[in-house]
Amino acid sequence: AQSVTQLDSQVPVFEEAPVELRCNYSSSVSVYLFWYVQYPNQGLQLLLKYLSGSTLVKGINGFEAEFNKSQTSFHLRKPSVHISDTAEYFCAVRPWMDSSYKLIFGSGTRLLVRP
Amino acid sequence: SAVISQKPSRDICQRGTSLTIQCQVDSQVTMMFWYRQQPGQSLTLIATANQGSEATYESGFVIDKFPISRPNLTFSTLTVSNMSPEDSSIYLCSVALGSYNEQFFGPGTRLTVL
């Protein structure tokens, strides 16, 4: 079985500062990795994904994430955040060979950007 | 990606009643999913709805409580039956698209049960 851990429930940061949101996963098989963002009162938007190839993936809104297989991590980073980045961020995994295509989500991290 | 809409966007219901939530996609998709997001929580998969077959429910969710219809490749409904305040949640549909069947989500339906 797979599991996803987002250790930080909330990350406060000042505007224009860098940020890293941590995601670790547990799986006995290879997985695809995803980050989703949920702005207040909205659904989830796919931010970026790691499917194969380069371990550094770039997504929308200036976010990037690095897949580290040895540490089973997929941390999300942004060099300079904006007030508009305030949202809930979810990390998710899906086993390669799972034909059900089900996602396993972490508990989420609330990014709070202060002026 | 796809344009996914849900109706209603929000509703306030009385306990004991039922609410049907609609999910419409602008393209044909094989796999659709229904999730529940309880207040301040992450997403929990309720069921997978494939066109032409019965929905597959996750542990802890039953068809009598959450009946699902999938009449065609662009539409699905989820009914929350005999509601109680514990059913107050955001309900989201998603679809699997692309070569790797990534999931894309609708805007959600915010349900409050009094």
Side-chain angles (χ1 to χ4, degrees):
Chain A
Q2 293 73 39
S3 66
V4 179
T5 301
Q6 293 180 249
L7 284 173
D8 305 307
S9 60
Q10 182 166 301
V11 174
V13 63
F14 288 107
E15 193 175 19
E16 298 184 6
V19 70
E20 178 180 85
L21 305 184
R22 296 181 294 168
C23 173
N24 288 86
Y25 68 93
S26 173
S27 177
S28 58
V29 299
S30 296
V31 295
Y32 299 122
L33 296 138
F34 306 87
W35 275 99
Y36 286 87
V37 59
Q38 185 176 35
Y39 297 105
N41 299 311
Q42 294 188 28
L44 271 69
Q45 182 179 5
L46 182 61
L47 202 54
L48 50 77
K49 60 198 176 191
Y50 173 76
L51 303 174
S52 64
S54 172
T55 57
L56 182 64
V57 293
K58 295 187 183 298
I60 61 173
N61 302 337
F63 283 93
E64 64 179 32
E66 185 158 18
F67 169 53
N68 188 318
K69 187 173 183 179
S70 62
Q71 297 187 2
T72 61
S73 67
F74 190 52
H75 301 332
L76 181 70
R77 303 186 184 99
K78 186 170 182 177
S80 176
V81 295
H82 302 288
I83 296 288
S84 59
D85 292 322
T86 293
E88 190 85 19
Y89 292 80
F90 293 97
C91 181
V93 303
R94 197 189 89 206
W96 278 11
M97 303 305 291
D98 184 357
S99 60
S100 72
Y101 305 115
K102 290 189 286 188
L103 290 172
I104 298 98
F105 283 91
S107 55
T109 297
R110 181 172 298 277
L111 177 62
L112 179 59
V113 182
R114 298 167 173 165
Chain B
S1 63
V3 177
I4 306 168
S5 61
Q6 287 186 233
K7 290 182 181 179
S9 59
R10 60 177 61 230
D11 207 342
I12 301 173
C13 301
Q14 297 297 318
R15 71 167 65 215
T17 62
S18 298
L19 177 72
T20 295
I21 302 167
Q22 299 178 5
C23 179
Q24 180 78 52
V25 191
D26 69 343
S27 58
Q28 294 185 336
V29 296
T30 301
M31 303 189 76
M32 295 180 76
F33 306 85
W34 285 99
Y35 289 84
R36 181 176 72 183
Q37 185 180 23
Q38 295 177 300
Q41 303 294 316
S42 186
L43 282 76
T44 302
L45 181 64
I46 297 172
T48 302
N50 293 338
Q51 198 270 337
S53 63
E54 295 291 322
T56 302
Y57 289 83
E58 297 299 302
S59 176
F61 298 96
V62 295
I63 188 171
D64 290 347
K65 176 68 175 177
F66 298 101
I68 288 171
S69 77
R70 184 79 202 275
N72 58 52
L73 291 173
T74 63
F75 187 79
S76 179
T77 67
L78 169 76
T79 299
V80 186
S81 303
N82 188 25
M83 288 184 286
S84 67
E86 291 71 35
D87 294 318
S88 297
S89 297
I90 301 172
Y91 292 86
L92 300 108
C93 69
S94 73
V95 301
L97 283 175
S99 304
Y100 292 88
N101 284 291
E102 300 105 283
Q103 285 191 35
F104 297 90
F105 285 80
T109 295
R110 188 176 296 269
L111 171 63
T112 301
V113 183
L114 302 177

